[in-house]
Amino acid sequence: MPSHKATVMDSSLMLPQRTTLQILPCTVSQLLSASRGSDRTFTICNWELNQVSVVGIIRGSAPSVTNIQYSVDDMTGPPLNVKQWVNTEDCVSPGTYVKVIGSLRSLDGQRSLLAMDIRCIKDLNEITSHMLEVVQAHMQLFGKAFDVNMNTIVGHDGGEHPKGVLPNGLSTIQGQVMHVIRRFSVSDIGIGFHELQSQLNHLSMGDLRASLTFLINEGHVFFTIDEHHFKSTEH
């Protein structure tokens, strides 16, 4: 099946069927799992990617003479390498939330996002908003619902789950909390609440506590040395 190229911009995301976005909202997980196309391009569901946007936190940076390389993490998978050809004086500090617009490329054998623009995020509501845009845009483009990790969302009765709900019944926020707890579950004591809060500082205290309560009650997470340390039951 031939690839399609995204060429038309519609800022409202209310797209007619088979229309594309010039800038497609994506997650890091989606970009890392995108299929390689011809001519150094990448595709999602046979749809050729032009420019994409991701939102995440900068975990590290490596400035050089001609460019800066960042490690951007949005909690949906391993961090993504982002490369920007700019003056190193413009380097964004680790720990900063950013929105990156660019093109996915394979540079020196590594999948990287070649950034056209990197903007610091001041309103953390943009993080949640971006995740919702990801789900909506992909549903409208491909005619079916996906979660943020590009899994098709199908309910037990064959219908789609509500928007923003993952196949295992977790909301997008609960999925982010679960992802961080899994990462730290290799340790005997798991992750402490303060470290979890630091890893997910874009979430409100209420959302974090509500997600933890749900994950514990549903058997996804358990206490370790005390009621402030947690591990995934998968470990």
Side-chain angles (χ1 to χ4, degrees), residues 77-148:
L80 174 69
N81 184 67
V82 174
K83 189 170 187 177
Q84 187 179 34
W85 299 94
V86 294
N87 191 311
T88 55
E89 293 178 358
D90 300 326
C91 185
V92 182
S93 302
T96 304
Y97 281 92
V98 294
K99 180 171 186 176
V100 183
I101 296 175
S103 302
L104 190 62
R105 294 287 184 267
S106 181
L107 303 173
D108 301 323
Q110 181 182 25
R111 191 169 295 201
S112 302
L113 188 61
L114 190 58
M116 305 284 291
D117 180 65
I118 297 179
R119 177 175 61 81
C120 296
I121 289 178
K122 297 179 181 179
D123 183 357
L124 297 184
N125 288 321
E126 282 195 52
I127 300 169
T128 303
S129 176
H130 178 79
M131 287 298 185
L132 293 176
E133 288 175 358
V134 168
V135 174
Q136 182 182 17
H138 285 75
M139 181 172 62
Q140 292 178 338
L141 283 175
F142 306 119
K144 52 187 175 181
F146 296 92
D147 65 25
V148 295

Side-chain angles (χ1 to χ4, degrees), residues 145 152-162:
T152 305
I153 301 173
V154 179
H156 296 298
D157 59 355
E160 295 176 349
H161 284 287

Side-chain angles (χ1 to χ4, degrees), residues 1-6 20-22 24 26-52 80-81 102-114 138 141-142 150:
M1 178 175 179
S3 296
H4 306 279
K5 191 166 185 177
T20 68
L21 284 173
Q22 183 180 13
L24 181 67
C26 291
T27 66
V28 166
S29 175
Q30 291 171 352
L31 296 182
L32 291 176
S33 61
S35 302
R36 287 294 301 270
S38 58
D39 253 355
R40 299 181 299 175
T41 62
F42 289 88
T43 63
I44 294 177
C45 295
N46 293 316
W47 202 279
E48 185 177 320
L49 298 178
N50 184 11
Q51 290 189 1
V52 299
L80 174 69
N81 184 67
S103 302
L104 190 62
R105 294 287 184 267
S106 181
L107 303 173
D108 301 323
Q110 181 182 25
R111 191 169 295 201
S112 302
L113 188 61
L114 190 58
H138 285 75
L141 283 175
F142 306 119
M150 283 307 292

